[in-house]
Amino acid sequence: MKRLVVVSNRVADPRKPAAGGLAVALGDSLNATGGLWFGWSGNVIEGGKPGEGELHVHQAGSVKLATVDLSAEDHEGYYLGYSNGVLWPVFHYRLDLARFDAGHISAYRRVNQLFARQLMTLLKSDDIIWVHDYHLIPLASELRDLGCKNRIGFFLHIPLPPQQLLAAIPQHEWLMRALFAYDLVGFQSEADLLNLTRYVEAEAGAEDLGGHRFRAFNRTVRAGAFPIGIDVDEFAALTHAKEASDTYERMKEEYSRRQLLLGVERLDYSKGLPQRLRAFASLLKKYPENLRSATLIQIASPSREDMGTYTALLQELESLSGAINGNFGELDWMPIRYIHRNVARKRLPGLYRVARVALVTPLRDGMNLVAKEFIAAQDPADPGVLVLSRFAGAAEQLKEALLVNPYDSDGMADTIQRALQMPREERQSRHQKLLRNIREQDVHWWRETFLQALSEAGAN
Ligand code: ADQ
C-alpha cells in the first residue's frame, strides 16, 4: 500500500483523543500506511527570517509528524492576513470583511513555497499526497515547480463561493489556476462543485471533459463533491461513556421543567449567532407559551481572538444576550445561557442528548459537523429535532432536518416553534432517516471515497 502524506495547516498526534476532526478522519489511513503528516508547528519565531523555518520531525506510533516553524512576519501575512483575512471571509460570502493587502499575498505564497521545499526533502516517489484547506491552495503548484510528480489531491473544508465573489479577490486567477496542479480537487457539496464549474468555464476557458474533469492551462483536473462525515460509532460510544452520561443526567435534572435549545460552535461570523439570538427573541415574543420554559444554551468557543472582526462579534453577542435576558428573564428563569468557552469533547454528546432542539444555523458553512454529532447523540426512542440552515453544506444531505433561512428571524422563530411542538412519532421517523444518512456517509466513507477517486484520477 502506498504511503499517505497529509498536509494541513495544523498537525495533531493521531494517538491523542483530543486531536479532533482531521486526526480522527485520517488516523486510520495514516496508521495503516505508516503515513506522514506535515504542517505548521504552531511556533511563531519573533525576528525569524521570512520564508524560512526550522523543520521538526518526530515519530508518533507508526505515523511521522513533520512540522515547520513560521517567522512572525510570515505568520502575520500567511495566516492572519491572507488565509483568515481574505480567503475565510470571501469563501464565506463576506466580501465586506475581506482586507486585501499586497503584503499578505506575498507571505501566503512564501509560506506555501517554504512548505513545498521542506516537504520535498521528505517525499518518496510513490507517496500519495492529500492537501487540506484554504491555507494551502497553491501548495501543489509549488511542489510541481520543484519537480514533484506524485499524485496530489486537495480538499476544501470551507465553501467555494460563486464566480463573481471569487473574482473580487485580486489574485483569483492565480489562486484558481493553482488548483489545476492537483489531480483531484474535492469540495463539501454539489453547490461548491457547481461554483467551481462555472468559474473555470467562465474565467479560465476550461474545457469540460465530462465526469467533472476539466482541462485548462495544459493540465486536467478532476473535481468532485465529497461531503465529510463523522465517526458515528465513535461518537455513539462517547455518548454512553461516563463523562457524557454524567452531563446528561445533571442537565436533565436541572432542566426537567424546561425545554432546552442548544447551539454549539466556534465563535465565528459565519455561524450566524446574532441572527440566531434574534430569532430566539422573536420566538419568545410570538409564542409567549415559551416564556419561563424555553432556554437556549449557546456555547461559542474562543477562536481567532487576535482578529478585530471577532472582538466586535463577541461584543455584539454579549450585548444581545444581555438585552434578551433583561427583557424576558424572570427571577427563576433566564432565557439565554451564553457561554464563551470550550466544552470538553467528552461532555458534548451529553449536552446534545439532553437538548430538545439543536440550532445549527450558520449563514454559510462548508459542511457543519455539529449537526451530524447532534444526530448521532440522540436517543432514537425520544430524539431531539435538528433545525438546520439551508446554507450549511450539511443541508444537501440532511433533508429530514427542519431547514431554515438564517437571515429570516421571524421565519426561524416559526420553525423553532414547530420543532418544540413536534410529536414524538415524527421526531423518531425524521431521526431514523437522518441517522441512516450520517451512517452511510460517515468519515470513513469520506476518506475512502476521496482516496479511491484520487487513485483513479487520470495522470496529466
Ligand atoms: P468548523 O468551522 O470548525 O470546521 P464544524 O464542522 O462544526 O465547524 O466542526 C467543529 C468541531 O468542533 C465539531 O467536532 C464540534 O464538536 C467541535 N466544537 C465546536 N464548538 C465547540 C465548543 N464550543 N466546545 C467544544 N467543541 C466544539 C470546518 C468548516 C466546516 C466543516 C469542518 C470539517 O468550517 O464547515 O464541517 O471544517 O470539514
Side-chain angles (χ1 to χ4, degrees):
M1 205 193 280
K2 290 178 178 166
R3 181 171 78 151
L4 176 65
V5 175
V6 171
V7 190
S8 57
N9 179 55
R10 293 308 303 275
V11 168
D13 183 339
R15 295 169 306 177
K16 298 199 175 138
L22 212 50
V24 175
L26 301 171
D28 284 357
S29 295
L30 281 167
N31 279 318
T33 63
L36 167 70
W37 193 347
F38 182 96
W40 172 36
S41 61
N43 297 334
V44 177
I45 310 298
E46 288 305 328
K49 202 161 169 227
E52 289 182 14
E54 198 182 328
L55 175 69
H56 312 270
V57 183
H58 76 272
Q59 201 66 36
S62 56
V63 179
K64 196 178 268 180
L65 303 179
T67 58
V68 180
D69 297 337
L70 290 183
S71 70
E73 197 177 321
D74 281 350
H75 172 253
E76 166 76 26
Y78 149 81
Y79 183 74
L80 298 175
Y82 202 72
S83 298
N84 290 317
V86 173
L87 298 179
W88 179 272
V90 176
F91 281 34
H92 286 91
Y93 298 41
R94 292 297 303 271
L95 272 185
D96 58 316
L97 295 179
R99 290 173 295 114
F100 302 112
D101 176 322
H104 294 159
I105 180 71
S106 328
Y108 181 74
R109 171 125 204 238
R110 200 161 59 223
V111 170
N112 273 274
Q113 284 169 334
L114 165 67
F115 281 8
R117 269 201 321 276
Q118 299 280 30
L119 181 58
M120 276 302 271
T121 65
L122 303 168
L123 286 180
K124 297 183 204 158
S125 60
D126 63 345
D127 284 341
I128 300 279
I129 306 172
W130 189 357
V131 179
H132 289 263
D133 234 356
Y134 58 102
H135 315 85
L136 301 171
I137 293 172
L139 189 70
S141 156
E142 300 298 350
L143 284 167
R144 301 280 184 227
D145 282 354
L146 298 174
C148 176
K149 301 259 186 301
N150 296 56
R151 194 147 291 205
I152 316 181
F154 176 75
F155 185 76
L156 184 68
H157 288 257
I158 64 175
L160 188 77
Q163 177 210 344
Q164 299 283 25
L165 287 181
L166 265 178
I169 300 178
Q171 306 78 19
H172 67 102
E173 283 165 15
W174 169 77
L175 207 57
M176 297 301 282
R177 181 192 178 116
L179 287 180
F180 282 79
Y182 291 96
D183 296 292
L184 173 68
V185 289
F187 300 94
Q188 299 273 26
S189 69
E190 295 293 334
D192 300 326
L193 187 56
L194 190 63
N195 287 340
L196 176 86
T197 308
R198 291 203 175 127
Y199 179 93
V200 297
E201 288 182 358
E203 302 275 342
E207 188 188 345
D208 188 343
L209 303 177
H212 298 308
R213 284 161 63 250
F214 300 98
R215 179 110 194 133
F217 312 113
N218 247 344
R219 284 191 62 90
T220 301
V221 69
R222 185 177 161 190
F226 302 89
I228 196 169
I230 62 165
D231 186 332
V232 178
D233 292 329
E234 182 239 29
F235 211 80
L238 214 57
T239 306
H240 294 105
K242 187 176 179 328
E243 284 87 348
S245 304
D246 286 354
T247 306
Y248 173 78
E249 293 301 338
R250 219 185 42 238
M251 299 290 289
K252 198 170 171 60
E253 199 183 308
E254 194 174 335
Y255 288 93
S256 57
R257 291 182 302 113
R258 315 255 190 242
Q259 299 252 60
L260 200 60
L261 298 101
L262 178 68
V264 177
E265 45 260 298
R266 287 182 304 100
L267 182 83
D268 192 281
Y269 49 79
S270 64
K271 304 290 184 185
L273 289 162
Q275 288 80 356
R276 185 183 307 164
L277 295 194
R278 281 189 211 105
F280 183 63
S282 163
L283 172 86
L284 298 176
K285 223 183 279 166
K286 280 180 94 170
Y287 302 100
E289 65 266 38
N290 292 308
L291 294 171
R292 290 177 172 273
S293 168
T295 304
L296 170 62
I297 297 189
Q298 177 58 59
I299 297 163
S301 59
S303 169
R304 304 179 197 156
E305 309 260 296
D306 37 7
M307 299 194 63
T309 39
Y310 290 80
T311 320
L313 178 63
L314 184 62
Q315 283 163 357
E316 186 180 3
L317 286 177
E318 280 169 359
S319 116
L320 257 175
S321 55
I324 295 170
N325 281 341
N327 287 336
F328 295 97
E330 302 280 348
L331 283 176
D332 59 350
W333 170 70
M334 277 300 145
I336 299 184
R337 297 187 75 176
Y338 164 65
I339 300 159
H340 179 48
R341 231 172 306 129
N342 249 312
V343 175
R345 187 164 173 76
K346 288 181 172 171
R347 296 205 173 275
L348 261 186
L351 259 183
Y352 289 144
R353 199 175 171 89
V354 84
R356 174 51 60 224
V357 175
L359 300 180
V360 182
T361 58
L363 303 179
R364 201 75 194 91
D365 217 330
M367 177 52 56
N368 196 297
L369 295 179
V370 169
K372 296 186 173 182
E373 292 171 353
F374 175 76
I375 297 164
Q378 295 308 299
D379 173 3
D382 188 16
V385 179
L386 175 63
V387 172
L388 178 64
S389 163
R390 56 174 295 171
F391 304 124
E396 277 186 10
Q397 294 172 292
L398 306 180
K399 301 231 186 311
E400 290 78 18
L402 296 187
L403 297 186
V404 290
N405 168 5
Y407 294 94
D408 172 13
S409 25
D410 271 352
M412 223 195 315
D414 296 339
T415 307
I416 299 173
Q417 175 69 356
R418 186 175 160 209
L420 287 168
Q421 305 284 321
M422 190 181 286
R424 185 196 283 241
E425 226 166 77
E426 184 181 348
R427 284 189 276 124
Q428 284 174 338
S429 103
R430 284 176 183 271
H431 175 256
Q432 212 175 33
K433 291 180 190 130
L434 290 168
L435 188 60
R436 191 181 317 134
N437 187 300
I438 61 165
R439 259 192 200 294
E440 276 169 13
Q441 300 193 329
D442 70 354
V443 74
H444 305 294
W445 169 88
W446 172 74
R447 181 188 65 230
E448 296 308 326
T449 319
F450 184 91
L451 288 174
Q452 182 61 34
L454 179 56
S455 75
E456 288 164 3
N460 280 280

